[in-house]
Amino acid sequence: MTEETTTTIMAALATLTQSQLSDLTASISSDVHLHRRRLSAVLSSPHLFSLTLQRLRLLSLPDKTLLIAKHLLSSLHHLTLHYNKCHSAVLKPRDLDAVLVLLLLCDVRQHSPEALETPPFRWREVLGSVYARGMLSTAGYGIGSAAALLPYIETAARCLRFVGNYNVNSNSTVVGRETAATVAAVVALPSVGGGGGEECVICREEMREGRDVCGLPCQHKFHWRCVLPWLRRRNTCPCCRFRLPTDDVFGEIQRLWDIVVKMSGVGKELIS
Ligand SMILES: [Zn+2]
Ligand SMILES: [Zn+2]
């Protein structure tokens, strides 16, 4: 378990108000119910299980990582709900089944690797019993109770580590790579008054009063003509690296994680 990641998530949670916390537990509970329903369906049907396993076999490691990343992204969305206005895409049922079985497999491999030495046709049985044991140990968590957050924190931290490790190990640095800001985010940027002779750091020319100046949410200002080409290549502010939303899953994880880190550091002086 990555201590630091868990601590950061816990600290971010501690800054939430009572009503924000109940919104969070409500969305987590509804996810938990959905995931349980899907996993039970897959594990109780030999046909569905072998289809899901087959699908996982066909996925390359980067594809699997991407799937886990999308799954993680939706959990981070819950956590940053009140500081982030963008909605995450929902996984297709087949993808959700695949990622849930994949995470369960990872779990089993980590805690009892010998269980997977049985031939794959017995895996459904093996996973089924591990899953049932897990359900028993969490059965005491009432819906909406704070204890229900623990498995959530664990999953989020584990996925984050998985995605992070993958990105460090691979040669293409996926997290931190340059990726365009979403069109929707760029269109929503406001025109602001020029900063009384302030310099635009992209072109080093003065910004005059008028409508040709764009304000990013971090309060930094640039000429529209300078910042638009910039945001077509990167989703970060040229001054402070504040992140705008992006369609890239890993870029989004990085952006939401930045928000979680800021939440954990200071509850008050937040992010607009
Ligand atoms: Zn400029
Ligand atoms: Zn900035």
Side-chain angles (χ1 to χ4, degrees):
M1 193 81 244
T2 33
E3 292 282 330
E4 211 177 311
T5 312
T6 316
T7 314
T8 307
I9 298 176
M10 303 280 266
L13 282 172
T15 66
L16 297 181
T17 65
Q18 198 55 46
S19 84
Q20 290 173 334
L21 198 61
S22 53
D23 287 350
L24 174 70
T25 45
S27 40
I28 291 174
S29 308
S30 95
D31 264 12
V32 166
H33 283 292
L34 173 67
H35 296 169
R36 282 181 186 169
R37 215 166 50 234
R38 290 307 317 168
L39 253 188
S40 307
V42 172
L43 290 174
S44 60
S45 153
H47 176 64
L48 203 50
F49 184 74
S50 77
L51 273 183
T52 307
L53 218 50
Q54 208 173 0
R55 189 165 150 64
L56 281 174
R57 283 207 187 92
L58 292 175
L59 292 179
S60 64
L61 182 60
D63 287 343
K64 288 193 183 98
T65 311
L66 189 63
L67 206 54
I68 292 188
K70 285 182 182 162
H71 186 64
L72 169 63
L73 191 59
S74 61
S75 5
L76 286 182
H77 264 285
H78 293 326
L79 191 54
T80 54
L81 200 63
H82 298 276
Y83 304 101
N84 173 48
K85 280 136 206 134
C86 309
H87 296 285
S88 65
V90 177
L91 280 183
K92 294 192 199 88
R94 267 169 18 135
D95 286 341
L96 181 61
D97 290 353
V99 78
L100 292 174
V101 169
L102 180 60
L103 289 176
L104 193 56
L105 277 168
C106 293
D107 221 18
V108 174
R109 196 170 61 182
Q110 193 184 351
H111 294 113
S112 40
E114 69 289 343
L116 295 179
E117 282 163 18
T118 55
F121 73 85
R122 292 205 52 215
W123 283 8
R124 192 173 68 86
E125 224 174 288
V126 171
L127 293 187
S129 69
V130 170
Y131 178 62
R133 267 206 305 279
M135 291 291 289
L136 281 182
S137 69
T138 56
Y141 299 155
I143 294 172
S145 86
L149 288 174
L150 292 177
Y152 163 79
I153 294 170
E154 221 168 282
T155 307
R158 199 175 52 156
C159 287
L160 198 67
R161 191 179 46 163
F162 181 88
V163 172
N165 282 348
Y166 174 77
N167 291 322
V168 170
N169 294 342
S170 70
N171 291 328
S172 59
T173 46
V174 184
V175 162
R177 76 177 153 187
E178 293 184 350
T179 162
T182 58
V183 174
V186 174
V187 167
L189 292 173
S191 282
V192 293
E198 257 180 90
E199 192 178 72
C200 160
V201 302
I202 303 176
C203 67
R204 298 277 168 211
E205 281 174 30
E206 191 184 318
M207 291 181 285
R208 302 219 168 85
E209 292 291 332
R211 292 183 54 81
D212 65 335
V213 176
C214 161
L216 294 191
C218 54
Q219 311 300 329
H220 286 118
K221 297 172 185 174
F222 311 92
H223 292 121
W224 275 110
R225 62 177 148 86
C226 298
V227 84
L228 287 179
W230 176 280
L231 294 176
R232 273 198 288 274
R233 283 175 290 129
R234 305 177 188 86
N235 67 324
T236 48
C237 165
C239 288
C240 68
R241 304 195 60 77
F242 173 89
R243 289 172 200 274
L244 289 172
T246 160
D247 289 323
D248 179 87
V249 175
F250 293 98
E252 273 295 273
I253 289 178
Q254 192 60 58
R255 182 176 76 85
L256 295 189
W257 185 246
D258 280 359
I259 296 179
V260 173
V261 169
K262 278 188 200 160
M263 285 168 72
S264 73
V266 271
K268 305 287 176 283
E269 45 189 283
L270 262 176
I271 347 162
S272 55

